[in-house]
Amino acid sequence: MHAVVLHEFGPAENLRYETVPDPVPGSGQVRVSVRAAGVHQIETAMREGLEIGPPLPELPAIFGGEVAGIVDEVGPDVDEAWIGSKVVSANGSPGGYAEFAVVDVASLHRIPAGLGYEAAVTMIVTGTTTIGLLDIAELTPGDVVLITSAAGGVGRLVVQFARRLGATIIGAAGGPAKTTAVRELGADVAVDYNLPDWTGTVRKALGERGVTVVLDGVEGDKGRAAFGLLAADGRYITIGAASREEFRPGEAELKERGVQFTDALDLLLEGQDTPTDEARALAAAADGSLAPAFQTFPLSEAARAHAAMKARETTGKVVLVP
């Protein structure tokens, strides 16, 4: 099969499109003919050899656990009725950047009718993370919500949810194309946080109102700026650091400002009912409650996809298509 293999940590061009042996499903596993593979932001850091997330893999390595496709072979003790099923999983092995992957049956979900492979693979992690984040945030119609990276995979889903809820939405993203996309999703205010006085634009737009909730997936300087927009009794909730620069408000500052801080990612890693929330995410996409956004790249151009992600040039979930 063809797969994208990393032999040496480093720049995106180290990802090589090669021919490797087909994987064989073992006990309790199926083999999936991959139709779509999700790319996670943390994988761009792991490719560089940065230890800021999961343990680095042994090399050579095939990245990507998020796979959607068709079961074409089953392990020795697996029901053959799975063959031909359209499925999605967050636990592909040896990695989803390939034409085939093996998956434990226990982690499989059948793709709901009407949902495409790209949408399903978007929802299996990005959608599941969003569902968990929204459970933690407990947004209300009266909230003024500032969403950073609002044109990203999670950000777009949160904007949709908040719009349907009736909250006031400030979507912050980088560049005119992304702010236009956020505005079209229904944000009341769409602001380019690459501009020097973007916080001033938000304050002017809100007038006497203050931000009650920040949902931040960027952190770093942009996270600190977003935090500064919170009104008293507001909540700053972080869901990751796309900037690769951590921002954590100090206890004294939180007390002085009268705001709360929550690391949603830590909470989800510790206690999310992942299988249940995966099913909820897929159901929400199937019934139209949430519309996943994705940008596809050919599997052979995984290096270009990684480079575009690092440069913050992508919108929605990045998906590789064999």
Side-chain angles (χ1 to χ4, degrees):
M1 69 174 182
H2 289 104
V4 176
V5 184
L6 183 72
H7 292 272
E8 182 179 359
F9 295 118
E13 55 264 32
N14 284 11
L15 293 169
R16 301 177 188 171
Y17 186 62
E18 301 178 352
T19 300
V20 300
D22 292 351
V24 177
S27 177
Q29 295 181 323
V30 303
R31 188 173 72 181
V32 175
S33 176
V34 178
R35 297 294 189 271
V39 181
H40 198 285
Q41 184 71 38
I42 195 67
E43 291 164 6
T44 66
M46 293 172 66
R47 183 208 71 237
E48 294 179 22
L50 302 178
E51 300 187 50
I52 61 174
L56 296 177
E58 293 185 10
L59 300 182
I62 300 173
F63 281 155
E66 306 161 40
V67 296
I70 301 171
V71 176
D72 82 324
E73 188 176 330
V74 298
D77 56 350
V78 176
D79 189 343
E80 291 188 357
W82 277 105
I83 295 176
S85 298
K86 297 180 178 180
V87 298
V88 62
S89 173
N91 294 291
S93 175
Y97 295 13
E99 292 177 321
F100 294 97
V102 296
V103 180
D104 291 341
V105 170
S107 75
L108 285 178
H109 292 271
R110 296 183 187 274
I111 298 176
L115 196 64
Y117 296 113
E118 295 89 348
V121 87
T122 296
M123 295 304 289
I124 197 65
V125 170
T126 298
T128 300
T129 299
T130 303
I131 290 290
L133 172 63
L134 292 171
D135 286 346
I136 291 167
E138 296 183 322
L139 301 179
T140 70
D143 276 318
V144 178
V145 187
L146 170 58
I147 304 158
T148 67
S149 195
V154 171
R156 283 173 174 255
L157 295 175
V158 172
V159 170
Q160 293 174 45
F161 178 87
R163 175 79 284 148
R164 185 173 287 108
L165 184 65
T168 300
I169 306 162
I170 302 102
K178 291 187 178 183
T179 54
T180 297
V182 171
R183 191 175 295 109
E184 290 173 349
L185 282 171
D188 298 281
V189 180
V191 61
D192 183 350
Y193 57 18
N194 288 335
L195 298 178
D197 191 34
W198 70 272
T199 55
T201 302
V202 173
R203 289 190 175 95
K204 183 177 179 180
L206 291 178
E208 297 298 317
R209 302 183 71 187
V211 174
T212 62
V213 183
V214 170
L215 300 178
D216 179 27
V218 180
E219 296 191 28
D221 291 341
K222 292 179 174 65
R224 172 163 282 286
F227 175 77
L229 290 168
L230 276 170
D233 298 322
R235 293 177 292 147
Y236 174 75
I237 303 172
T238 182
I239 192 62
S243 67
R244 300 189 188 175
E245 297 176 357
E246 186 178 86
F247 165 64
R248 290 289 184 273
E251 290 296 329
E253 186 175 18
L254 290 170
K255 186 175 181 179
E256 180 183 352
R257 293 273 310 281
V259 299
Q260 300 175 20
F261 166 71
T262 302
D263 186 330
L265 193 58
D266 271 359
L267 292 179
L268 295 178
L269 290 173
E270 290 173 3
Q272 185 175 25
D273 183 352
T274 301
T276 297
D277 285 352
E278 288 174 343
R280 290 172 61 197
L282 291 168
D287 68 18
S289 300
L290 295 175
F294 48 85
Q295 180 174 348
T296 61
F297 291 79
L299 176 64
S300 60
E301 298 182 19
R304 183 166 69 88
H306 268 233
M309 288 181 72
K310 184 177 180 181
R312 308 298 298 279
E313 295 172 350
T314 60
T315 58
K317 177 73 173 179
V318 172
V319 176
L320 301 177
V321 179

